Amino acid sequence: MAEKRACNHSCAHQACISLVPIFNHLEPAQMDEIMQTVQPGSYKKGEVIYRAGDQSDSLYIVNKGKIRIYRLSESGKEQLVRILNPGNFTGELALFQENVHEAYAEAVVDTEVCTIKRSDLQEFLIKYPSISLKILSEFSNRLEKSERQTARFATERVETRIALFLAECVEDQDGSLHIQLPMSKKDLASYLGTTPETISRRLTAFEEQGLIKQVGQRKMEILKLDDLLLI
Amino acid sequence: MAEKRACNHSCAHQACISLVPIFNHLEPAQMDEIMQTVQPGSYKKGEVIYRAGDQSDSLYIVNKGKIRIYRLSESGKEQLVRILNPGNFTGELALFQENVHEAYAEAVVDTEVCTIKRSDLQEFLIKYPSISLKILSEFSNRLEKSERQTARFATERVETRIALFLAECVEDQDGSLHIQLPMSKKDLASYLGTTPETISRRLTAFEEQGLIKQVGQRKMEILKLDDLLLI
DNA sequence: GAACAGACTTGATGCCGGTCAATTTCTTAA
DNA sequence: TTAAGAAATTGACCGGCATCAAGTCTGTTC
């Protein structure tokens, strides 16, 4: 791997490795070893990072910016699955199964990533089994969240899914009741399996019921969190 | 662990270990070691194996019978997540995160299981890292399937979800066009996020369109698989 | 600052699919 | 075999939400 070394350890693009939960428990020396294999990449706003069906052979770690991960359904419609912020990664599924992306990824704004070749990563998995355990923990969380999301789709109405999403925003933002939506309403609609129109209407209805107070494009104040969750 | 030994290696309830993909790559001696830690359990038809909120400290492997795994949504409605057959297991999520079940499990028919204590399994994970890799692969598949399912809920109509499910039945049954539904229509409705009435109506409609031919309770013949998938 | 494109809102309309109810068919137990 | 209780079907009804169509507002680029 040493021959891939592009620059020394202090390169900015490598620093993100230390942000990633699956690596940051390692010894400094081991972390350096991983950093040697990292390749930088950058994408302009709106640029596609990989497409569904692309050969998938790398792990992408977000260094700066924001990435949208979409999934295409059988009939070609797309759903927003997740938004990646610095320290998050994608491409991990391909490590353990067929090597074609099922999803596609797009830069929301100008974005810098670090990529690690799949083969390099697999070497590290064998060399440092603790990484496997970290990835297992990550997968476990993701699976849990994904199944929860599926159950919500299967059993809850759109109104409830929106309310639950707002509650999650409160949690993510450390319990503050002044929240900021992490994405546009169009993206949110895709994520929640509805339309921007319906999101807009439900939020207005919540406001008329005195449950929330909208303030500007993506900001709002949650007035009655408990009542919101009873919907 | 040896002191837990309840009987010798030939015990029937232990044999299932060799059926489980995450263990069956091990050396016979290692597999025996795991078998020593296995405890048998049996449940009558309809009996609950664990509830949402229960302390979760074991992996359950189905030896004989069938188990339904349900998830409860925030408002108490339940969705069928998965059905376990012999060789399948549940309780794996709790290995890597908080130790409370988010789902609940119920025996569909009289069922025998093997349980492995979480602490025992964690020892094995450290001792035999190859098990981690197998579980990673399993998780990776599950995550992939779960996200696909979520995307279907988000983007496809009930009619399409039913058609896609039928296509999966064909795959699972080795491409045979004479398929058997793996569960009752009530369960299927819960799994697909709809109602038994709607399932019944859509299948009748498929039949009237000449796409399938229903024959008896849970059996049918797929006449035009391609057309079914264009819906 | 003007102009433009996106993002968001609001209204009107229609239909998919959930709900309730009444049979009918199948399964299980006595 | 019969009886009882599920499971499945079929019909009537209607409400939630998608769709289409106009706007309004925001932010960005000359």
Side-chain angles (χ1 to χ4, degrees):
Chain A
M1 288 171 232
E3 67 278 15
K4 284 188 192 163
R5 181 184 301 210
C7 54
N8 66 42
H9 304 190
S10 59
C11 266
H13 78 262
Q14 295 178 331
C16 65
I17 291 296
S18 58
L19 297 176
V20 181
I22 61 174
F23 295 128
N24 66 6
H25 67 290
L26 295 171
E27 305 290 324
Q30 299 170 342
M31 214 132 80
D32 271 2
E33 190 185 346
I34 293 175
M35 284 189 184
Q36 298 315 311
T37 70
V38 164
Q39 295 291 317
S42 73
Y43 299 88
K44 289 260 170 66
K45 172 179 174 179
E47 198 173 344
V48 171
I49 295 165
Y50 57 77
R51 289 188 172 70
D54 275 6
Q55 196 72 9
S56 146
D57 61 353
S58 295
L59 187 76
Y60 298 81
I61 303 169
V62 179
N63 198 6
K64 217 170 86 177
K66 215 181 249 268
I67 294 177
R68 272 192 281 253
I69 310 290
Y70 284 99
R71 252 197 103 93
L72 296 175
S73 73
E74 279 79 358
S75 61
K77 279 162 263 174
E78 58 192 33
Q79 189 219 1
L80 178 64
V81 177
R82 172 178 328 116
I83 286 194
L84 303 184
N85 289 303
N88 301 143
F89 54 87
T90 179
E92 66 290 343
L93 284 188
L95 275 174
F96 306 102
Q97 47 187 8
E98 80 286 343
N99 50 3
V100 174
H101 286 293
E102 294 273 343
Y104 84 88
E106 177 194 57
V108 181
V109 296
D110 291 358
T111 295
E112 288 173 17
V113 300
C114 297
T115 61
I116 301 182
K117 286 243 169 301
R118 168 201 226 169
S119 50
D120 288 343
L121 196 47
Q122 280 169 342
E123 276 179 41
F124 289 126
L125 283 186
I126 292 164
K127 206 159 159 190
Y128 308 121
S130 66
I131 301 179
S132 295
L133 294 178
K134 289 285 178 180
I135 298 184
L136 269 173
S137 171
E138 168 84 14
F139 274 21
S140 175
N141 276 316
R142 288 262 300 278
L143 189 51
E144 175 65 32
K145 276 194 78 165
S146 178
E147 292 194 345
R148 180 184 308 142
Q149 184 76 340
T150 308
R152 285 182 186 174
F153 274 113
T155 62
E156 306 289 5
R157 313 192 296 141
V158 169
E159 185 178 42
T160 311
R161 300 206 296 271
I162 296 174
L164 289 169
F165 182 83
L166 294 182
E168 280 179 4
C169 287
V170 171
E171 263 188 62
D172 290 345
Q173 286 160 48
D174 304 317
S176 163
L177 295 178
H178 292 263
I179 61 173
Q180 171 142 20
L181 296 181
M183 55 184 112
S184 72
K185 296 209 171 119
K186 194 178 148 207
D187 282 346
L188 184 55
S190 172
Y191 180 73
L192 294 178
T194 179
T195 60
E197 292 96 322
T198 297
I199 300 257
S200 182
R201 272 186 257 268
R202 295 335 301 179
L203 289 181
T204 304
F206 288 160
E207 188 157 27
E208 283 167 356
Q209 296 167 52
L211 299 175
I212 68 171
K213 184 162 159 31
Q214 299 188 68
V215 35
Q217 277 286 57
R218 291 193 194 178
K219 286 182 193 141
M220 65 184 71
E221 186 185 353
I222 309 294
L223 301 177
K224 300 183 182 174
L225 184 56
D226 298 341
D227 293 354
L228 201 56
L229 293 178
L230 290 180
I231 282 175
Chain B
M1 287 172 230
E3 66 277 16
K4 284 188 192 163
R5 180 184 301 210
C7 53
N8 67 42
H9 303 188
S10 59
C11 266
H13 78 262
Q14 295 179 332
C16 67
I17 291 295
S18 58
L19 297 176
V20 181
I22 61 174
F23 295 130
N24 66 6
H25 66 290
L26 295 171
E27 305 290 324
Q30 299 170 341
M31 213 134 80
D32 272 1
E33 189 185 346
I34 292 176
M35 284 188 185
Q36 299 314 312
T37 70
V38 164
Q39 296 291 318
S42 73
Y43 299 88
K44 289 260 170 65
K45 172 180 175 178
E47 198 173 343
V48 171
I49 295 164
Y50 57 78
R51 290 188 171 69
D54 276 7
Q55 196 71 10
S56 145
D57 61 353
S58 295
L59 187 76
Y60 298 81
I61 303 169
V62 180
N63 198 4
K64 218 170 85 177
K66 215 180 249 266
I67 293 177
R68 271 192 283 251
I69 310 290
Y70 284 99
R71 253 197 102 94
L72 296 175
S73 74
E74 280 77 0
S75 61
K77 281 162 263 173
E78 59 192 31
Q79 189 219 1
L80 178 64
V81 176
R82 175 178 323 116
I83 287 193
L84 304 184
N85 289 303
N88 300 144
F89 53 87
T90 179
E92 66 290 345
L93 285 187
L95 274 174
F96 306 103
Q97 46 188 9
E98 81 286 343
N99 50 2
V100 175
H101 286 293
E102 294 272 343
Y104 84 89
E106 176 195 58
V108 181
V109 295
D110 291 358
T111 295
E112 287 172 18
V113 301
C114 298
T115 61
I116 301 182
K117 285 241 168 302
R118 168 201 225 168
S119 51
D120 288 342
L121 195 47
Q122 279 170 342
E123 275 180 43
F124 288 127
L125 284 186
I126 292 164
K127 207 160 160 190
Y128 307 122
S130 66
I131 301 179
S132 295
L133 294 178
K134 288 287 179 180
I135 298 184
L136 268 173
S137 171
E138 169 84 14
F139 274 22
S140 174
N141 276 316
R142 287 262 302 275
L143 189 52
E144 175 65 33
K145 276 194 78 166
S146 178
E147 292 193 345
R148 180 184 308 143
Q149 185 77 341
T150 308
R152 285 182 186 174
F153 274 112
T155 62
E156 306 290 5
R157 313 194 294 141
V158 169
E159 185 178 41
T160 311
R161 300 206 296 272
I162 295 174
L164 289 169
F165 181 83
L166 294 182
E168 280 179 2
C169 287
V170 171
E171 262 188 62
D172 290 346
Q173 287 160 48
D174 305 316
S176 163
L177 294 178
H178 293 264
I179 62 173
Q180 171 142 19
L181 296 181
M183 55 185 111
S184 72
K185 296 207 172 123
K186 194 179 150 206
D187 283 346
L188 184 55
S190 172
Y191 180 73
L192 293 177
T194 179
T195 59
E197 292 95 322
T198 297
I199 302 256
S200 182
R201 272 187 257 269
R202 294 337 300 179
L203 289 181
T204 304
F206 286 160
E207 188 156 26
E208 282 166 356
Q209 295 166 53
L211 299 175
I212 68 171
K213 183 161 160 34
Q214 300 188 67
V215 34
Q217 274 288 56
R218 293 192 191 178
K219 286 183 194 142
M220 65 184 70
E221 187 183 352
I222 309 293
L223 300 177
K224 300 183 182 175
L225 185 56
D226 297 341
D227 293 353
L228 201 56
L229 292 177
L230 289 181
I231 281 176

